[in-house]
Amino acid sequence: MRTGAGEAVGVLCLVSLVAALDYKYHHSEELEAYLKEVHAAYPALTHLHSIGRSVEGRDLWVLVLGRFPTQHKIGIPEFKYVANMHGDETVGREILLHLIDHLVTNYGRDPVITRLLNNTRIHIMPTMNPDGFEATVVPDCYYSRGRYNKNGEDLNRNFPDAFENNNNLIQPETQAVINWIKNETFVLSANLHGGALVASYTFDNGNSVTGTSNGYSRSPDDDVFIHLAKTYSFNHASMYKGTGCDSKQTFPDGITNGYSWYQLEGGMQDYNYVWGQCFEITLELSCCKYPPAEQLEKFWRDNKVALVEYIKQVHLGVKGQVTDKNGNPIPNAIVEAKGRPHICPYRTNEHGEYFLLLLPGKYVINATVPGFKSMLKTVDIPDNTANFSALKQDFSFPEVSVKPRPASCPRTPLYQELERSSAAVKPTLHILVLVIVTISILK
């Protein structure tokens, strides 16, 4: 949408109020001060809040940017970047600060950035593991204890897992992110790591149901994930070359299926996809985990275009509302594309909204309100990323006047149950998922 002239001028006048961001490592106090400075200079464009605290009590800061930064608005998708999950993997932490600077200083000046912020709510968490970063006293390219949180736990092995029991005690940082995901309608995300140069995508874990016997763990939206990973790698200065960090390891097109690279239990990207209804990929941005500060400017230049182009992908596919006969929103309605059901059914939020990331093409969208007949609508989805709005397709249930009761997806290893069923009767994945959907509705 078009920004008012007065608003744009007001934003431009604030540019000089924020000090230039240096290419150096910002420790906790400096990082917090910078985020507060940005928010003070751009109060109408940003919202700064802490989603929780680390083991040592440091705030987990998130800066939200957009035309409506303080709250979700119907039709505007939610996007997030998370960095420094491993405390000694530091490049992402710094380039997210430069991304913030790039977005706020170009709003009202650059038409692409302006439209992006007018039509997207962007959440940026520069560090998920501030304790680990502060504990990394001697930076190292390969390994330090700063990888872990203060309790010695790897946060990217600490989430519930859809394939096997993850008995690790949930850490404060992990729980804060779980709550954050639950309280927002995130559609697309990326978490920024270091130690390699590749875009890795779901699934990180798997079993025979997802095809691990072939060395690949395929999600129902594998085509979308490949597109997302390539969007980043091909807009990066060199990731697309796929040369990796040594002669032993190469990544064609600069991307990899997570499981194909190495199996990972309790990862954040799988959790986002299964339980958060949010497509997330993992971006490995530097061969050296904690490179010298003088290299940070080059890392920012290498990633600048890719970071923005990836955000635009939140406008892929189709979105809309599900309403009853009175026009009231229906939360917890199941809305999915036919032929790609999710093990934990994707449901509408409290506003009756749904967002489905889909590549351009023809799809049948199935909307189901438990206890009532499903509605099917065929849609021809264009590539609307340049227009900053997914295709809009609403559903109205004229016979419904009550809201379905809240539904949740159990925290048990869902794909483990599918594997057992598959071994017993050998049905298709589609039928198995429909069985689980039915059971969850009846519960």
Side-chain angles (χ1 to χ4, degrees):
M1 293 186 181
R2 191 168 176 267
T3 308
E7 181 183 352
V9 171
V11 169
L12 293 178
C13 289
L14 289 170
V15 171
S16 61
L17 298 181
V18 179
L21 183 63
D22 294 333
Y23 291 101
K24 68 168 195 174
Y25 288 108
H26 295 78
H27 286 267
S28 295
E29 296 79 6
E30 298 169 297
L31 185 148
E32 179 178 336
Y34 177 72
L35 295 177
K36 288 182 176 178
E37 186 180 5
V38 170
H39 175 54
Y42 302 89
L45 190 63
T46 66
H47 170 58
L48 180 63
H49 67 116
S50 171
I51 65 164
R53 290 180 180 270
S54 67
V55 174
E56 291 191 314
R58 294 183 174 90
D59 279 300
L60 303 176
W61 291 109
V62 172
L63 188 75
V64 189
L65 304 98
R67 192 157 55 99
F68 305 104
T70 60
Q71 60 184 335
H72 176 73
K73 289 290 184 179
I74 293 173
I76 294 183
E78 309 281 344
F79 176 94
K80 65 179 165 69
Y81 274 133
V82 177
N84 204 209
M85 185 182 198
H86 292 142
D88 63 344
E89 297 174 12
T90 57
V91 170
R93 174 187 177 107
E94 295 303 324
I95 68 169
L96 286 188
L97 295 184
H98 286 279
L99 176 62
I100 289 169
D101 179 65
H102 178 67
L103 293 174
V104 297
T105 57
N106 282 285
Y107 183 74
R109 290 180 167 183
D110 182 318
V112 172
I113 297 300
T114 303
R115 292 186 69 195
L116 182 66
L117 287 171
N118 282 345
N119 294 282
T120 320
R121 192 162 174 246
I122 302 169
H123 305 244
I124 297 179
M125 177 190 279
T127 176
M128 183 180 164
N129 186 3
D131 297 354
F133 177 80
E134 298 299 338
T136 310
V137 179
V138 181
D140 192 290
C141 276
Y142 302 104
Y143 171 81
S144 81
R145 291 194 58 80
R147 172 184 179 89
Y148 308 106
N149 78 341
K150 181 63 177 178
N151 289 335
E153 295 291 338
D154 187 328
L155 298 179
N156 206 30
R157 310 291 188 276
N158 195 236
F159 284 80
D161 192 274
F163 298 91
E164 52 193 294
N165 288 307
N166 188 4
N167 296 319
N168 293 336
L169 180 66
I170 299 294
Q171 297 299 300
E173 298 91 346
T174 309
Q175 190 61 58
V177 170
I178 289 174
N179 295 342
W180 185 34
I181 292 169
K182 182 178 179 180
N183 293 330
E184 298 284 358
T185 307
F186 288 120
V187 179
L188 180 62
S189 174
N191 72 89
L192 281 53
H193 287 248
L197 190 62
V198 67
S200 175
Y201 57 90
T202 289
F203 285 117
D204 272 330
N205 203 352
N207 55 27
S208 62
V209 172
T210 59
T212 55
S213 57
N214 297 318
Y216 193 106
S217 189
R218 190 181 308 275
S219 77
D221 296 292
D222 192 64
D223 57 340
V224 180
F225 276 111
I226 290 172
H227 165 79
L228 293 171
K230 284 186 176 181
T231 294
Y232 200 92
S233 70
F234 277 86
N235 283 287
H236 184 277
S238 60
M239 187 183 289
Y240 68 94
K241 296 177 182 178
T243 52
C245 294
D246 55 47
S247 58
K248 299 177 182 178
Q249 192 173 56
T250 60
F251 300 105
D253 293 328
I255 71 171
T256 183
N257 173 253
Y259 184 90
S260 292
W261 187 12
Y262 62 89
Q263 185 178 6
L264 188 161
E265 177 189 327
M268 185 165 69
Q269 73 175 14
D270 285 5
Y271 178 84
N272 268 277
Y273 177 65
V274 173
W275 281 289
Q277 302 187 187
C278 174
F279 288 49
E280 178 170 284
I281 67 173
T282 299
L283 299 171
E284 301 279 354
L285 300 181
S286 61
C287 294
C288 181
K289 288 176 179 284
Y290 201 146
E294 53 264 29
Q295 296 179 15
L296 290 174
E297 184 173 5
K298 183 180 186 304
F299 280 117
W300 165 239
R301 291 199 309 266
D302 288 351
N303 288 276
K304 177 181 174 181
V305 173
L307 287 165
V308 173
E309 290 301 315
Y310 184 76
I311 297 173
K312 292 180 184 178
Q313 305 312 304
V314 77
H315 298 289
L316 276 174
V318 60
K319 66 182 180 182
Q321 273 187 295
V322 179
T323 56
D324 65 14
K325 66 180 183 181
N326 299 313
N328 298 314
I330 302 177
N332 300 306
I334 298 170
V335 184
E336 305 207 292
K338 194 173 180 181
R340 53 180 72 210
H342 299 97
I343 190 71
C344 187
Y346 277 25
R347 299 176 183 270
T348 55
N349 64 14
E350 63 181 332
H351 306 290
E353 285 180 291
Y354 74 91
F355 296 86
L356 294 178
L357 292 185
L358 296 165
L359 298 185
K362 186 167 286 188
Y363 300 86
V364 176
I365 308 300
N366 185 340
T368 302
V369 176
F372 296 88
K373 186 178 180 180
S374 295
M375 293 185 67
L376 301 176
K377 291 193 177 181
T378 300
V379 296
D380 197 352
I381 297 176
D383 182 357
N384 269 348
T385 54
N387 297 322
F388 301 97
S389 177
L391 178 71
K392 195 170 188 296
Q393 178 63 67
D394 295 331
F395 292 86
S396 178
F397 282 80
E399 73 276 20
V400 179
S401 60
V402 294
K403 297 179 180 179
R405 58 186 176 181
S408 61
C409 200
R411 289 292 188 264
T412 54
L414 301 173
Y415 277 92
Q416 188 180 86
E417 297 303 318
L418 277 187
E419 187 174 45
R420 289 171 183 164
S421 300
S422 181
V425 295
K426 299 289 184 183
T428 65
L429 175 61
H430 180 70
I431 294 173
L432 285 167
V433 173
L434 288 178
V435 169
I436 286 185
V437 169
T438 304
I439 293 172
S440 67
I441 293 171
L442 292 176
K443 285 182 177 178

